[in-house]
Amino acid sequence: MDENKSNDNVDIIRGDPKEAIRKLAPPLIISLLIMSLYNIIDRIWIAGLGTEPLAALGFVAPLYMVIVGLGNGLGAGANSLISRYIGSNNYDEASNAGIHGLLIVVLFSILIPIIIIPFLKPIIVLIGASEVLTYAESYISIIFIGTFAFLLNGLFANQLRAEGDVKRSTFIMVSGGIINIVLNPVMIYLLNFGLTGAAYSTVISNIIPDLLAVYWLYISKSTYLDYGINRFKFKWTVIKDLLAVGLPASIEELIMAVVNIVTNGMLSIVAGTAIVASFTSAFSIIEIATMPTVGVGIVAITVAGVAFGERNYNKLKTTGHYSIKLSLIVSCISLIIIYLFAPQIAYLFAYGSNSGSLNTLIVQCLRDLSLFLIAGAIGIVSANVLQGMGKGTMSLILTVNREVILILLFSYILGFVFSWGVKGILYGMTIGVLVGSLVALLVFELYLKRFKEIELRGTH
């Protein structure tokens, strides 16, 4: 059974939660920043093509994030299940869970393009991008064809992270970002592919690290867990447990993408297409600034999963509270930087000769959205710790409450009922996230209290 098998990486995630978070989070945060950076660089290069291609990217970016979110969600499901098995010293089931994760990802990679691509045009029109339909369709169709590249990337990175192998997990993510940064100008301008060149670059930059991960996991077998076919024993219970976290986590990404689409629509009604280009450009910067929080939260999934598997209340509590504290500190620093340097940041997306008004709008969006960082930090980490505990459905409920109900409700009330326009919509987003995050923290504390009561009963 190899139940006592260990290595340095596994010892870290089984040890002090604070030390594990401090060691595992920084490399992951760097990789997330680089991934976000290549999304920014996409926009910077595409901005040179004109406002319409940039707006088209803004409209369909949520669809791309649905695919990436599905990969990260299924990966989070595998991460949570594997780490819980590692915490309970069940090596064979941890390995088997990883193989089941691959099986699920392959199935989704086949089904998604077959189902979605025939309906792309009506989907693009539905999300409000009819004015830039040709640009939007040319970009997103290539992304959907390359679904497998994004899903495998999310799975492999999470599988390695689940066993504490943050170096190779980080390399998978960072290398893809660097490759994309290099390929973008080549595909867009040198080869004259325009907007479709950015899509080709994005897909290719994910395929290359996927191949490297396949070598590590399935050919050289140099990982802690063994993903060989001899370890595979199909179990519906494993599928169910993996999807219990993976699907809600994926749906959370889908929900956030839908909210972005609806927000784009509200902004378009209030102020036209230019504000959509401004908002999506500004929000891409906000997303970069949330990466430290996201990184800490993703690490918390693994560390909390191990603590939950060990049935260790103190470790679980420390994981949640320490992660929230770190995220809030970094978010405050990011807020100050963005607010002070908003004009300089906006210039990245508005460097053309006719971009003066675009620059002003981006600055406005950056400053109005900056408080979003602090408001979201608590909720993101609380939801991640709940995922680590296997409470994927509750995490999903909290996301629906925060994103669908509260953000859209406050945005609509302030933007339309109170007629505050663009500012009302942006302020509504921040208020909605803040209220939703406080609710998420309360729910986490209640689960933590219940976990402690169960642990106390078990010792008597």
Side-chain angles (χ1 to χ4, degrees), residues 66-76 105 150-155 158 250:
V66 168
I67 302 174
V68 174
L70 179 61
N72 291 335
L74 295 176
V105 162
F150 307 110
L151 299 193
L152 288 173
N153 198 275
L155 175 69
N158 273 283
S250 301

Side-chain angles (χ1 to χ4, degrees), residues 85 93 96 100 232-240:
Y85 280 132
E93 286 302 320
N96 195 33
H100 279 73
F232 179 63
K233 295 179 181 178
F234 182 81
K235 294 183 179 180
W236 280 112
T237 54
V238 175
I239 296 286
K240 179 182 176 182

Side-chain angles (χ1 to χ4, degrees), residues 391-440:
K391 311 301 180 184
T393 301
M394 178 51 66
S395 177
L396 174 60
I397 291 171
L398 292 171
T399 298
V400 171
N401 176 61
R402 184 179 69 243
E403 301 286 337
V404 176
I405 299 175
L406 295 173
I407 285 183
L408 294 184
L409 176 63
F410 281 108
S411 293
Y412 177 78
I413 290 174
L414 296 182
F416 292 90
V417 177
F418 284 85
S419 300
W420 289 5
V422 173
K423 279 188 175 294
I425 294 171
L426 300 184
Y427 289 155
M429 290 178 64
T430 299
I431 295 171
V433 166
L434 177 60
V435 175
S437 292
L438 293 176
V439 172

Side-chain angles (χ1 to χ4, degrees), residues 70-239:
L70 179 61
N72 291 335
L74 295 176
N79 184 338
S80 175
L81 188 57
I82 291 169
S83 60
R84 277 180 276 148
Y85 280 132
I86 290 175
S88 60
N89 288 317
N90 197 332
Y91 176 83
D92 286 347
E93 286 302 320
S95 298
N96 195 33
I99 303 171
H100 279 73
L102 178 64
L103 179 66
I104 292 170
V105 162
V106 169
L107 181 62
F108 274 98
S109 296
I110 295 171
L111 291 178
I112 289 174
I114 292 175
I115 294 172
I116 297 296
I117 290 178
F119 302 99
L120 264 185
K121 279 188 177 180
I123 290 173
I124 292 170
V125 172
L126 183 64
I127 64 177
S130 55
E131 293 183 14
V132 288
L133 175 63
T134 302
Y135 285 118
E137 185 181 15
S138 66
Y139 178 87
I140 201 63
S141 60
I142 295 168
I143 295 296
F144 272 108
I145 292 171
T147 295
F148 69 94
F150 307 110
L151 299 193
L152 288 173
N153 198 275
L155 175 69
F156 293 152
N158 273 283
Q159 284 181 330
L160 290 167
R161 195 177 302 119
E163 59 182 58
D165 194 346
V166 70
K167 290 183 179 179
R168 287 194 283 194
S169 173
T170 299
F171 187 84
I172 289 175
M173 300 171 71
V174 170
S175 61
I178 293 173
I179 292 169
N180 195 45
I181 289 170
V182 173
L183 280 180
N184 254 320
V186 175
M187 303 294 282
I188 295 172
Y189 294 105
L190 187 61
L191 298 180
N192 201 30
F193 285 161
L195 185 58
T196 58
Y200 286 126
S201 176
T202 301
V203 173
I204 293 170
S205 65
N206 277 268
I207 291 175
I208 294 174
D210 285 346
L211 295 175
L212 183 59
V214 168
Y215 173 76
W216 284 333
L217 294 165
Y218 301 101
I219 299 175
S220 71
K221 297 183 178 181
S222 57
T223 54
Y224 169 70
L225 298 177
D226 182 359
Y227 296 104
I229 192 66
N230 59 307
R231 292 279 183 180
F232 179 63
K233 295 179 181 178
F234 182 81
K235 294 183 179 180
W236 280 112
T237 54
V238 175
I239 296 286

Side-chain angles (χ1 to χ4, degrees), residues 21 25 28-29 32-33 286-301 323-332 334 372-384 437:
I21 292 168
L28 176 58
I29 291 170
L32 289 170
L33 288 171
I286 299 298
E287 287 176 333
I288 280 188
T290 62
M291 287 304 105
T293 293
V294 173
V296 170
I298 291 174
V299 169
I301 295 176
S323 298
I324 291 171
K325 178 183 176 181
L326 281 181
S327 299
L328 285 173
I329 292 172
V330 176
S331 295
C332 287
S334 299
F372 188 93
L373 297 171
I374 295 176
I378 298 171
I380 291 171
V381 174
S382 297
N384 284 141
S437 292

